[in-house]
Amino acid sequence: MKISPFFHDLRSAYQAEIDDLTQDSEGKDVLRKRLAQKRSEIGFLVKMMELAPEMVAVVFHQGFRFTRAAPLEQSLAVGQDHLPSWESLSTCVTLEPWAAALAKTVLAEPGGDRFMVIAAGLEYLQQARFAGSAVGCEADAEGDEDDADDREHDDDYDALSADDVVEPHDSRSREEASANWLADVGFERKD
């Protein structure tokens, strides 16, 4: 699947937003609690749809069911100025009941139709990621920057990043990654 530079950039920001909401400072999973809080603030959040769509789109996390991929994948390949209407995606996207209530609030706002297409696209990319789909990007023709980063390190390099959400890591692996990073930037290791 090819995605436009617009969705490529938003996909990273959306994933970072979900990562930020997932754990508290003690490493406890608080995603449900934080999403519930954000969903209760939808009246305020709709004012940010144009400026920071990834921050608002998270309220629909796990609120879409996708029945057909082709129409949605076509919308992911176009730029932000050529997005289809939300209604045109109704044959391939179904909202969970709780998400349908939020969508009514969003769709009542100027730009709500466009935003719903963006939110569905971001969630589709999120679900495709966990399904193991390979997602390409036209904007990344020179290759993946992450590959270049990996070549900079030894073969035993094992840093954690926001992209590591597929398999949860325990606190020990996070501590090791933190120690590796600190050592890489010049600090001495604690033993």
Side-chain angles (χ1 to χ4, degrees), residues 23-61:
Q23 292 183 339
D24 65 10
S25 60
E26 296 173 355
K28 294 178 184 171
D29 186 350
V30 292
L31 181 61
R32 286 183 192 264
K33 178 181 174 184
R34 288 183 175 169
L35 285 176
Q37 180 181 357
K38 274 197 164 282
R39 289 172 183 150
S40 71
E41 298 168 350
I42 191 66
F44 168 75
L45 290 174
V46 293
K47 294 170 180 37
M48 298 172 47
M49 289 186 309
E50 192 67 35
L51 181 63
E54 73 282 357
M55 293 179 74
V56 182
V58 296
V59 301
F60 290 98
H61 182 56

Side-chain angles (χ1 to χ4, degrees), residues 2-180:
K2 298 288 183 185
I3 63 171
S4 68
F6 172 72
F7 274 106
H8 180 263
D9 293 343
L10 278 180
R11 174 182 63 174
S12 299
Y14 183 72
Q15 183 59 52
E17 186 69 19
I18 290 176
D19 291 345
D20 287 345
L21 294 172
T22 299
Q23 292 183 339
D24 65 10
S25 60
E26 296 173 355
K28 294 178 184 171
D29 186 350
V30 292
L31 181 61
R32 286 183 192 264
K33 178 181 174 184
R34 288 183 175 169
L35 285 176
Q37 180 181 357
K38 274 197 164 282
R39 289 172 183 150
S40 71
E41 298 168 350
I42 191 66
F44 168 75
L45 290 174
V46 293
K47 294 170 180 37
M48 298 172 47
M49 289 186 309
E50 192 67 35
L51 181 63
E54 73 282 357
M55 293 179 74
V56 182
V58 296
V59 301
F60 290 98
H61 182 56
Q62 298 177 335
F64 296 101
R65 286 183 306 210
F66 303 103
T67 55
R68 289 191 4 225
L72 200 53
E73 289 180 2
Q74 288 172 351
S75 68
L76 290 170
V78 300
Q80 63 182 340
D81 297 329
H82 303 289
L83 293 173
S85 69
W86 173 242
E87 187 177 312
S88 71
L89 294 180
S90 65
T91 61
C92 66
V93 179
T94 305
L95 289 166
E96 296 291 340
W98 61 265
L102 293 174
K104 285 180 183 177
T105 303
V106 168
L107 290 168
E109 296 290 321
D113 186 76
R114 178 180 175 276
F115 172 79
M116 288 303 297
V117 174
I118 293 170
L122 291 173
E123 189 62 18
Y124 180 81
L125 290 170
Q126 177 76 11
Q127 290 182 21
R129 178 177 183 194
F130 287 109
S133 297
V135 177
C137 177
E138 294 172 19
D140 219 1
E142 292 99 44
D144 194 350
E145 292 176 19
D146 292 337
D147 293 341
D149 291 342
D150 291 344
R151 287 190 294 270
E152 291 179 15
H153 301 281
D154 300 331
D155 289 341
D156 61 343
Y157 181 71
D158 187 28
L160 295 176
S161 73
D163 295 331
D164 291 332
V165 297
V166 175
E167 278 188 53
H169 294 279
D170 59 16
S171 62
R172 181 176 176 196
S173 64
R174 284 192 296 273
E175 288 173 12
E176 288 174 14
S178 176
N180 288 341

